[in-house]
Amino acid sequence: MAIFDPLGLISNVLIYLKILFQEIWRAGIGWDDLIPESLNEKWEKWLDILPKVQNVSIPRGYRSLTQLGPQTNIQLHTFVDASLSGFAAVTYLRFEQGSTVECAIVGAKTRVAPLKFLSIPRLELQAAVIGVRLADRIMKSLSFKVHKRFFWTDFRDVLCWIQSDHRRYSQFVAFRISEILETTEAADWGYKRSKENVADDATKWQGVPDLTENSRWFKGPSFLWEFRSNWPSNPYREDTTDEELRANIFYHQAKPAPVINVEDYSSWKRLLRATTTALRAAHNIRQNSENGKRITGPLSAEELQQATIYLYRLASGCFPGRDRNSQRRI
């Protein structure tokens, strides 16, 4: 409760504690219960890191070598990443003036993965969403103009969703891609390998995080300090993905064939009697299967009337079985 980090500058450290609290919650441990040894080891590991946070020092200004002016190219770079434990976004400002380049962290946002299981693709998409929200808040708070925004992810499916028709995918994906594209363009998004993605420092702990002033978490990845012509080539190739593809159901509806072909009869009387006989035969077949009473003997007036109604409906395109009321009357 004593940690105050509204900008998320040390969120790469705090997310470890958030994940630990979630693991304790999942274990169903009460407030007065002792935690298991495995969780206690993680807690002691975080306590060992906590004193190092007191020595973290970050310059108040974003730049010290460049000046604000028409000759300075200002860019905002946002890196997003996710793991099964949580997802994160971190944003940097990059200033380029002549032969001078400098970068500085602006803010970061981390969240623990929800208790309800989500797949890695969905978590990566969630990371992209919080990255867009973080970048938008930063843009609104800055007093100078940013010329270009970049968003970086190491998950190819997210790029496929952004650069394709998102309506082809599930509602979970479609709604979030729609939010992403409200404030960004598909061209703003690019691919970087995990080793170049700074957000990995928050989502994938591989030991004690580097909290020195010159760490890549505070300064940004090394390629941002180089001219754009020297940036690593983008290995991503535009493609589509079947991940979260909306299910399509195809069905074939067979048109029922009429009982009688009216073109085979030259008079109404012969057509009516043939139709009545066919309808009686169909009725008797159903009765045989249901052990019911069969109709025999000469054709009755009621049967002739039902056959007449059938022929009228046949002429108007209404077949038995397609209308419940007509089927009941027949």
Side-chain angles (χ1 to χ4, degrees):
M1 298 297 294
I3 299 176
F4 182 70
D5 184 29
L7 299 180
L9 300 178
I10 57 172
S11 57
N12 60 329
V13 178
L14 297 183
I15 189 175
Y16 184 84
L17 183 61
K18 296 178 182 179
I19 295 173
L20 179 58
F21 280 161
Q22 187 184 71
E23 291 179 358
I24 296 175
W25 176 266
R26 284 179 173 173
I29 301 173
W31 286 104
D32 299 326
D33 299 336
L34 294 176
I35 63 176
E37 184 63 26
S38 59
L39 297 178
N40 186 58
E41 292 178 358
K42 295 182 179 180
W43 170 251
E44 292 180 350
K45 177 181 178 181
W46 190 82
L47 288 180
D48 293 338
I49 300 173
L50 189 57
K52 300 179 181 180
V53 176
Q54 298 178 352
N55 300 323
V56 173
S57 176
I58 302 172
R60 183 178 296 272
Y62 295 133
R63 55 182 179 80
S64 59
L65 304 177
T66 58
Q67 297 178 353
L68 294 179
Q71 294 81 19
T72 303
N73 182 19
I74 305 175
Q75 301 171 352
L76 188 71
H77 292 258
T78 303
F79 296 82
V80 299
D81 187 62
S83 66
L84 287 175
S85 301
F87 43 96
V90 56
T91 301
Y92 300 88
L93 276 171
R94 180 180 183 271
F95 301 89
E96 181 179 346
Q97 182 181 11
S99 59
T100 305
V101 177
E102 58 181 339
C103 302
I105 187 173
V106 182
K109 182 70 175 178
T110 60
R111 287 187 181 178
V112 180
L115 291 174
K116 182 180 178 181
F117 175 78
L118 284 181
S119 63
I120 288 294
R122 290 193 172 194
L123 288 172
E124 292 280 0
L125 182 58
Q126 290 281 70
V129 171
I130 68 170
V132 170
R133 295 174 181 173
L134 176 63
D136 287 342
R137 289 197 297 268
I138 291 174
M139 291 287 291
K140 293 177 182 178
S141 64
L142 294 177
S143 58
F144 50 85
K145 180 181 179 181
V146 174
H147 301 97
K148 178 66 176 176
R149 293 196 301 174
F150 294 86
F151 295 87
W152 304 102
T153 179
D154 56 8
F155 200 74
R156 299 175 186 271
D157 284 347
V158 173
L159 296 178
C160 291
W161 290 331
I162 292 175
Q163 297 179 5
S164 61
D165 185 3
H166 57 276
R167 290 168 293 187
R168 298 175 55 241
Y169 300 98
S170 65
Q171 288 188 350
F172 184 96
V173 172
F175 290 156
R176 285 156 180 82
I177 294 297
S178 178
E179 179 181 348
I180 291 173
L181 295 179
E182 283 182 1
T183 55
T184 67
E185 301 291 338
D188 298 338
W189 288 83
Y191 174 82
K192 288 298 176 186
R193 297 184 179 93
S194 295
K195 65 179 181 179
E196 299 168 348
N197 190 351
V198 193
D200 269 23
D201 293 356
T203 59
K204 301 179 180 66
W205 268 49
Q206 298 178 352
V208 179
D210 186 2
L211 297 177
T212 62
E213 184 179 351
N214 294 322
S215 68
R216 75 169 191 167
W217 176 260
F218 295 126
K219 292 293 187 179
S222 57
F223 77 88
L224 285 185
W225 289 80
E226 300 178 4
F227 293 104
R228 188 169 182 179
S229 58
N230 297 328
W231 289 2
S233 59
N234 189 351
Y236 171 73
R237 181 184 61 200
E238 292 189 12
D239 203 351
T240 58
T241 177
D242 293 336
E243 191 74 34
E244 295 288 339
L245 195 63
R246 186 188 296 272
N248 293 321
I249 301 176
F250 299 95
Y251 64 94
H252 174 71
Q253 182 178 3
K255 185 177 181 180
V259 177
I260 293 295
N261 186 6
V262 296
E263 296 180 356
D264 295 339
Y265 299 89
S266 57
S267 66
W268 169 257
K269 184 177 181 180
R270 293 181 58 191
L271 174 60
L272 179 61
R273 296 186 64 86
T275 303
T276 306
T277 303
L279 292 177
R280 174 189 281 190
H283 171 81
N284 289 337
I285 291 174
R286 290 195 298 268
Q287 295 301 318
N288 288 337
S289 61
E290 299 174 1
N291 296 324
K293 184 178 180 181
R294 303 173 70 255
I295 301 177
T296 58
L299 300 177
S300 63
E302 183 180 358
E303 290 180 290
L304 292 172
Q305 183 180 8
Q306 290 181 349
T308 302
I309 296 175
Y310 173 84
L311 290 173
Y312 288 162
R313 288 173 179 162
L314 179 63
S316 62
C318 180
F319 293 95
R322 300 187 65 178
D323 184 272
R324 293 183 178 180
N325 294 329
S326 64
Q327 185 178 16
R328 189 180 300 113
R329 291 176 62 184
I330 290 176

